[in-house]
Amino acid sequence: DHATERNFELIVTPFDIASARFLLTLGLKTLKIPSGEVTNIPFLKNVAALGADIILSTGMCSLEEVREAVEIFTSTKVPLTLLHCVSAYPAPADQINLRAMETLRQAFRVPVGYSDHTEGIAVALSAAALGAQVLEKHSTLDRSLPGPDHAASLEPEELTQMIQIIKNEEALKKTPILEEALGTGEKKCQPCEENVRSVARRSVVAARDLAQGQSLTAEMIAIRRPGTGIAPKFVKDVIGKKAKKDILSGTPLTWDILA
């Protein structure tokens, strides 16, 4: 209601399909899918079936991982926008690789933007000057607050400044592009993202305690963080496997403990 009263579109990020369905009952037209869910193929397929416009962030991803996700949405003709992203908080400017926006644009022929986790507005403005069609920037009331996102967020005055420059075509043209943020254009996981990748992604885990020799059914497994086990796209291959040993609930499953 607050968004509607102020005439701007509310976009929300769901992390599960029940939340996605609920958001659409509120009249939302666009859903943002975070970088950590790019490899959660079952989730992406369920989201694609809803028919909402999708903004997909691609932090920590290789080009092939993005391609697998993109095909889910393009095959169902779901409107898709990709955001280049480096998932570190804050992200160092010299690992941002803004040229990857053009790599994504050429590879998939969909609108491309940028999700920024650097400090300040210089990198975000560089992305806008390079043609980002969507720009995501975190905001906070106080950058000194505890938590992972605040340090890379803008306080209200800075957010206002960034938006004013982007909306002013002449001002944006005069904004220098930050050379150190350009990178090579190769779409890949950056060094600063490697630790985040295992935490933010998901894997197939035991949803309950499993006994040695027990055959796995769909009810016995779930897709949860961290991403240190079998990738979600192999969830159907896990069903019917047997536990080689007792497995505690919540344990990420790996092929070596299944038969």
Side-chain angles (χ1 to χ4, degrees):
D1 291 343
H2 185 80
T4 301
E5 286 173 9
R6 281 148 185 82
N7 195 33
F8 64 83
E9 182 182 357
L10 180 66
I11 301 173
V12 180
T13 298
F15 286 79
D16 59 80
I17 191 60
S19 297
R21 292 191 182 107
F22 167 72
L23 290 170
L24 296 188
T25 68
L26 302 180
L28 270 66
K29 299 176 182 177
T30 304
L31 298 176
K32 157 75 190 302
I33 306 301
S35 299
E37 304 303 322
V38 173
T39 57
N40 189 353
I41 300 302
F43 174 61
L44 298 186
K45 288 180 177 179
N46 285 330
V47 169
L50 299 178
D53 292 2
I54 298 297
I55 298 173
L56 180 68
S57 201
T58 62
M60 309 171 286
C61 289
S62 67
L63 191 63
E64 285 309 307
E65 288 172 332
V66 178
R67 188 183 307 279
E68 192 168 8
V70 167
E71 287 174 355
I72 292 170
F73 296 106
T74 55
S75 65
T76 51
K77 295 181 169 47
V78 170
L80 176 67
T81 298
L82 294 176
L83 301 185
H84 173 56
C85 175
V86 174
S87 299
Y89 308 87
D94 61 359
Q95 294 185 42
I96 293 303
N97 192 23
L98 285 176
R99 287 192 174 105
M101 288 195 301
E102 185 59 26
T103 301
L104 293 172
R105 189 176 289 115
Q106 292 295 330
F108 304 115
R109 304 295 176 178
V110 298
V112 172
Y114 172 60
S115 175
D116 185 46
H117 302 304
T118 63
E119 296 176 302
I121 65 175
V123 175
L125 292 177
S126 295
L130 290 169
Q133 290 168 267
V134 173
L135 187 65
E136 178 186 22
K137 184 72 179 181
H138 292 217
S139 63
T140 179
L141 297 179
D142 183 354
R143 205 164 29 246
S144 67
L145 290 171
D149 285 355
H150 292 288
S153 300
L154 300 181
E155 293 181 353
E157 296 80 8
E158 298 165 310
L159 184 64
T160 298
Q161 180 189 13
M162 185 189 75
I163 292 171
Q164 287 175 340
I165 293 173
I166 290 172
K167 286 188 172 183
N168 185 324
E169 188 174 340
E170 290 304 315
L172 187 60
K173 285 180 181 178
K174 294 176 182 177
T175 301
I177 292 175
L178 197 63
E179 292 288 331
E180 67 174 326
L182 290 176
T184 64
E186 181 184 359
K187 183 62 179 171
K188 63 179 183 178
C189 182
Q190 297 295 322
C192 64
E193 302 177 281
E194 289 176 358
N195 291 336
V196 180
R197 180 166 54 178
S198 62
V199 175
R201 288 185 172 182
R202 298 179 189 254
S203 55
V204 183
V205 307
R208 63 183 70 170
D209 290 344
L210 304 174
Q212 182 178 355
Q214 192 167 16
S215 294
L216 276 62
T217 65
E219 293 74 26
M220 296 177 183
I221 58 178
I223 296 174
R224 298 177 184 158
R225 289 175 171 175
T228 54
I230 296 169
K233 67 179 178 179
F234 298 117
V235 64
K236 290 184 179 179
D237 297 325
V238 172
I239 297 172
K241 295 287 186 182
K242 291 184 178 180
K244 287 185 179 180
K245 61 178 184 178
D246 292 345
I247 301 172
L248 293 176
S249 177
T251 301
L253 300 179
T254 53
W255 295 118
D256 62 303
I257 62 174
L258 301 177

